[in-house]
Amino acid sequence: MEGAPKPLRVAIADDALLLREGIAKVLADGGIEVVASVSTGAELLEVANRGGLDAAVLDIRMPPSFRDEGIVALEQMRAGGSKIGVLLLSMYATPEYALRVMGAGSGTGYLLKERVSEPQTLVRAVETVASGGSVVDPEVVEQLVKRTRADDPLSRLTERERSVLELMAQGYSNGGIAQSLFLGLKTVETHVRSILQKLDLEESPEHHRRVLAVLTLLGAR
Amino acid sequence: MEGAPKPLRVAIADDALLLREGIAKVLADGGIEVVASVSTGAELLEVANRGGLDAAVLDIRMPPSFRDEGIVALEQMRAGGSKIGVLLLSMYATPEYALRVMGAGSGTGYLLKERVSEPQTLVRAVETVASGGSVVDPEVVEQLVKRTRADDPLSRLTERERSVLELMAQGYSNGGIAQSLFLGLKTVETHVRSILQKLDLEESPEHHRRVLAVLTLLGAR
DNA sequence: GCCCAGTTCAGGGGGTACCCTGATGCGTCG
DNA sequence: CGACGCATCAGGGTACCCCCTGAACTGGGC
């Protein structure tokens, strides 16, 4: 395909040694030069500040926070004016994170580790972000599309209904909700009925199902 | 350290290309010969049946089940009389899986991927299982110890009560549980009351609390 | 044999969730 | 102003959950 006169220069950041090595191997085989391999976002920032990089591949979960360290590093790089390609790797399709990554502008990508079954998947993603393009895992896109639709029933709830739902999800009984919101029991029942009508639509064999449904609904957000 | 007259011959099984490559690299650097690298448990069994292996390193989550495929492969190998070392890799400290792995006898190991921050961690683990030893991630051990203590209230439940609890956690109503287990409603109620007494002890203002408690209890497992 | 734990049920009572109809006041929009 | 949505409650009803007492049968251990 290419004679590759100028191989891309890429840095890797991942706290898991096994993945660092794996990424390095796949990129190297794909004609990409791995110039650095570190285990934290802070170290990556140092490397990036020295310049000479075309792109960076980094895990989202890294020390010390083990939450969104990778995205934080991305945002700091962008804040510092760096425009190199940044490919975020994650274990799961987390729409919130994907949106944050996309919000950082072009030249960024969000890819699921498990999605990388072919070397070219990763190599091409790196090449894409390095040239200013965007990469989003198809599964994440699907989740996002589903999300905007699934958000519909929730946005159909009124202000009051949402506050009631919130307390429901926290395990409050109708009576407890009534006390918390200074309402009559019957009023809460009315709201609950309205909420269930708007969210459930069908089937409601057991009571527990309701709680479960609400919990999974809120838990998935 | 070693002149390594006879390098260990190892096979790798992991559906994630990046990890396969990473494991291979680390093992190779550690003086271990990687003779096969496959992506499913079934493929690993084929390789193992051909013989000549000292050990196998495999992910627990693999196609097609994406659940305990790695452990299934281990159990099938043991059932077939194979005694080679088997090192299971997992993302999380799941005591259930760890116990299943340990139950397969010596020469097995359960290691967290993220725990591998040093190459020697993985290399030594492979050498240990290849020589018939056992490896268990320290974090998993900690979980197990905590479990046996936390298991107290759960282990105090009788067989029947546990089966009822399981259905409770799945959202079944008392009536549904009665139908599922071919019991009378009153019998189920008796079991439920017994379960709640043993687990709750105190406080039970609202019904939802119960479900939540059970869910978090089982969800934390 | 007796006792105990486990499993299986019954009767009765209190409480909560859920559903339906209906009513009142309060803003908004055409 | 009238229609509409929203929030606020009431009354009446069904179903289910939970608790208590009590009882019958079983199997194992002393």
Side-chain angles (χ1 to χ4, degrees):
Chain A
M1 278 283 183
E2 317 123 9
K6 288 179 183 175
L8 292 177
R9 294 169 57 85
V10 173
I12 299 171
D14 196 318
D15 65 308
L17 170 72
L18 297 180
L19 276 171
R20 274 207 308 277
E21 296 288 359
I23 295 167
K25 176 67 157 57
V26 169
L27 291 184
D29 288 351
I32 294 175
E33 185 179 351
V34 177
V35 298
S37 180
V38 300
S39 59
T40 66
E43 291 174 281
L44 178 68
L45 288 180
E46 288 181 26
V47 174
N49 283 338
R50 287 203 294 270
L53 283 182
D54 295 307
V57 178
L58 54 160
D59 192 2
I60 285 187
R61 280 185 49 154
M62 280 189 295
S65 77
F66 279 106
R67 309 288 286 181
D68 55 358
E69 189 73 9
I71 303 185
V72 170
L74 161 64
E75 290 167 347
Q76 287 177 342
M77 289 170 65
R78 290 296 188 245
S82 171
K83 303 219 168 192
I84 68 171
V86 178
L87 182 65
L88 277 296
L89 296 183
S90 173
M91 288 299 299
Y92 307 105
T94 313
E96 283 72 19
Y97 286 168
L99 287 177
R100 271 182 69 187
V101 172
M102 293 300 105
S106 60
T108 59
Y110 185 99
L111 202 61
L112 297 186
K113 290 176 188 172
E114 311 222 338
R115 192 47 98 248
V116 181
S117 53
E118 298 289 331
Q120 58 185 13
T121 306
L122 183 63
V123 172
R124 282 183 186 167
V126 171
E127 291 170 348
T128 300
V129 296
S131 63
S134 290
V135 175
V136 186
D137 190 278
E139 188 176 325
V140 178
V141 173
E142 189 184 338
Q143 293 247 19
L144 281 175
V145 172
K146 206 181 295 173
R147 171 65 50 89
T148 52
R149 268 199 265 279
D151 237 342
D152 220 16
L154 274 167
S155 61
R156 283 176 47 205
L157 297 182
T158 64
E159 193 70 24
R160 208 56 166 160
E161 286 165 352
R162 264 192 291 268
S163 61
V164 171
L165 176 60
E166 195 172 337
L167 293 177
M168 283 174 66
Q170 290 173 29
Y172 279 86
S173 67
N174 287 359
I177 296 173
Q179 283 194 326
S180 297
L181 300 180
F182 304 104
L183 294 178
L185 177 59
K186 283 298 186 180
T187 308
V188 175
E189 286 182 356
T190 304
H191 289 314
V192 168
R193 198 170 347 115
S194 174
I195 292 169
L196 294 179
Q197 276 183 354
K198 288 182 181 176
L199 293 187
D200 264 352
L201 298 154
E202 21 68 43
E203 65 131 350
S204 57
E206 279 95 25
H207 302 309
H208 291 168
R209 296 278 183 203
R210 301 293 173 84
V211 186
L212 282 172
V214 172
L215 286 178
T216 51
L217 221 167
L218 294 187
R221 312 202 76 212
Chain B
M1 280 279 182
E2 316 121 13
K6 287 181 184 174
L8 292 177
R9 295 169 55 84
V10 173
I12 299 171
D14 196 319
D15 65 308
L17 170 73
L18 297 179
L19 277 170
R20 274 208 307 277
E21 297 287 359
I23 295 167
K25 176 67 159 53
V26 169
L27 291 183
D29 289 351
I32 295 175
E33 185 179 353
V34 176
V35 297
S37 180
V38 300
S39 59
T40 66
E43 291 175 281
L44 178 68
L45 288 180
E46 289 181 27
V47 174
N49 284 337
R50 287 204 294 271
L53 283 183
D54 295 306
V57 177
L58 53 161
D59 192 1
I60 286 186
R61 278 185 50 153
M62 280 189 292
S65 77
F66 279 106
R67 309 287 286 182
D68 56 358
E69 189 74 10
I71 303 185
V72 170
L74 161 63
E75 290 167 348
Q76 287 177 342
M77 287 170 66
R78 291 295 188 244
S82 171
K83 305 219 166 193
I84 68 170
V86 177
L87 182 65
L88 277 296
L89 296 183
S90 172
M91 288 301 298
Y92 307 105
T94 313
E96 282 72 20
Y97 287 167
L99 287 177
R100 271 181 71 185
V101 171
M102 293 300 104
S106 61
T108 58
Y110 185 99
L111 202 61
L112 297 187
K113 290 176 188 173
E114 311 220 340
R115 193 46 97 248
V116 182
S117 54
E118 298 289 332
Q120 58 185 13
T121 306
L122 182 64
V123 173
R124 282 184 185 165
V126 171
E127 290 169 349
T128 301
V129 297
S131 62
S134 289
V135 176
V136 186
D137 190 279
E139 187 176 326
V140 177
V141 173
E142 188 184 339
Q143 292 249 18
L144 281 176
V145 172
K146 205 180 299 173
R147 170 65 50 89
T148 50
R149 266 197 267 281
D151 231 343
D152 221 15
L154 274 168
S155 62
R156 284 177 46 205
L157 298 182
T158 65
E159 192 72 23
R160 210 53 167 160
E161 287 165 350
R162 264 192 289 269
S163 61
V164 170
L165 175 61
E166 194 172 338
L167 293 177
M168 282 175 68
Q170 289 173 28
Y172 278 87
S173 67
N174 287 358
I177 296 173
Q179 285 192 327
S180 297
L181 299 180
F182 304 103
L183 295 177
L185 177 58
K186 285 296 186 179
T187 306
V188 175
E189 286 182 356
T190 304
H191 289 314
V192 168
R193 199 170 347 111
S194 173
I195 291 169
L196 294 180
Q197 276 183 354
K198 289 181 180 176
L199 293 187
D200 264 352
L201 298 156
E202 22 66 44
E203 66 130 350
S204 57
E206 280 96 25
H207 301 309
H208 291 169
R209 296 279 183 203
R210 301 294 173 82
V211 186
L212 281 172
V214 173
L215 284 178
T216 51
L217 221 167
L218 295 187
R221 315 200 76 213

